[in-house]
Amino acid sequence: MPGASPDRSRAKGEPRFPGGPKADPAGSHFERRIRSFQPRRSRVTAGQADALQRLWPVWGLDIDGQRTVDLTELFGNPRPVVLEIGFGMGEATARMAADDPGTNILAVDVHTPGQGNLLALAERNHLTNLRVANGDAIILLREMLAPDALDGLRVYFPDPWPKKRHQKRRLIQPEFLSLAAARLKPGALVHCATDWEPYAEQMLEVLTAHPGLENTQPEGGYAPRPAFRPLTRFEGQGLDKGHVVNDLLFRRVQHRDQPSAGD
């Protein structure tokens, strides 16, 4: 029946979306640790469910941690690949993919409605430079991507975990940056954005302190929002409420064991 929930007639033990993303792709293969994300249970529309079932086998990637991903094979071309962690409903991601067809975007999230929505947007707008990954981005970076595999990293409006006892869950921490830097090519751009000022201050502190990264702003500090990052609906709502949005743009520096361009 049109508009019906895909869960209504599902038998016990049957996958929620046959052929679609797995509920827990990495299973118990990896250690338990504090996670920076909290999976949300929310209604999946009929259109999103259809996209998940039809398009996941073509454009989806379950983060199971069991193999190294060949990004050229995944996208079908050797173009630069940018990793985006946390894309919400995917509108901004789809717009960036449309505006820059020469760059491949590997977009990671655990929000099932958003995964379905982004897949539907990719199909509707013929965005062949998008792939949607399901699961823990830490496992993807650590277990499934080769050194220097990525040409950029985007983390827009991650959960700020505002309560002090929860701040250890924040994604942008020194350990995460060291892992990410090892997967980034020299010159790759790390772009973060948040409307939670205390988190922005922490981001600036840990990004500035990391030896593998340098601020693109000559005087340090925050950067103006670059034209390639669309103004999202969520961001617009925050601005209407008087929130301050801070962008941080850092670049991966030359590896110490590599000769400089002039050598």
Side-chain angles (χ1 to χ4, degrees), residues 15-35:
R16 191 178 183 199
F17 303 102
K22 296 178 182 177
D24 184 12
S28 59
H29 297 297
F30 300 96
E31 78 284 357
R32 292 185 177 274
R33 58 177 177 78
I34 297 171
R35 289 184 171 181

Side-chain angles (χ1 to χ4, degrees), residues 19-239:
K22 296 178 182 177
D24 184 12
S28 59
H29 297 297
F30 300 96
E31 78 284 357
R32 292 185 177 274
R33 58 177 177 78
I34 297 171
R35 289 184 171 181
S36 64
F37 59 90
Q38 183 70 39
R40 293 170 289 153
R41 295 288 294 175
S42 54
R43 184 177 179 274
V44 176
T45 68
Q48 292 162 359
D50 174 67
L52 286 166
Q53 292 176 194
R54 288 190 303 105
L55 301 174
W56 191 260
V58 182
W59 289 334
L61 172 69
D62 276 310
I63 300 172
D64 58 12
Q66 301 300 300
R67 60 190 175 92
T68 300
V69 177
D70 183 326
L71 294 176
T72 297
E73 180 180 329
L74 180 68
F75 284 94
N77 61 67
R79 295 172 188 149
V81 178
V82 171
L83 175 66
E84 181 177 358
I85 299 177
F87 55 79
M89 294 305 292
E91 292 98 337
T93 305
R95 204 178 322 166
M96 288 187 290
D99 290 344
D100 186 10
T103 296
N104 295 322
I105 300 177
L106 178 56
V108 182
D109 210 307
V110 294
H111 187 49
T112 310
Q115 293 169 349
N117 198 59
L118 182 53
L119 287 169
L121 288 170
E123 181 181 53
R124 188 180 312 145
N125 296 292
H126 310 288
L127 303 176
T128 58
N129 59 329
L130 258 178
R131 297 293 183 270
V132 181
N134 167 54
D136 190 338
I138 299 293
I139 294 176
L140 175 67
L141 283 164
R142 192 181 65 202
E143 308 291 343
M144 299 180 70
L145 294 178
D148 295 359
L150 299 171
D151 296 85
L153 172 66
R154 297 168 180 167
V155 184
Y156 299 152
F157 305 99
D159 194 324
W161 296 103
K163 294 181 179 179
K164 189 171 183 179
R165 69 177 185 272
H166 292 157
Q167 288 178 10
K168 59 190 175 183
R169 294 181 178 271
R170 289 177 175 174
L171 179 63
I172 306 302
Q173 308 273 8
E175 298 81 4
F176 168 77
L177 293 177
S178 292
L179 174 59
R183 302 296 179 258
L184 292 167
K185 295 175 183 175
L189 194 67
V190 177
H191 184 194
C192 302
T194 180
D195 68 336
W196 189 258
E197 288 190 81
Y199 196 6
E201 292 167 1
Q202 178 191 329
M203 287 181 177
L204 182 59
E205 180 181 348
V206 298
L207 283 161
T208 301
H210 197 281
L213 302 170
E214 63 181 4
N215 200 330
T216 62
Q217 305 304 297
E219 303 301 319
Y222 304 114
R225 178 175 66 87
F228 66 79
R229 183 176 75 75
L231 187 69
T232 66
R233 181 172 49 187
F234 168 81
E235 184 177 359
Q237 292 170 350
L239 292 171

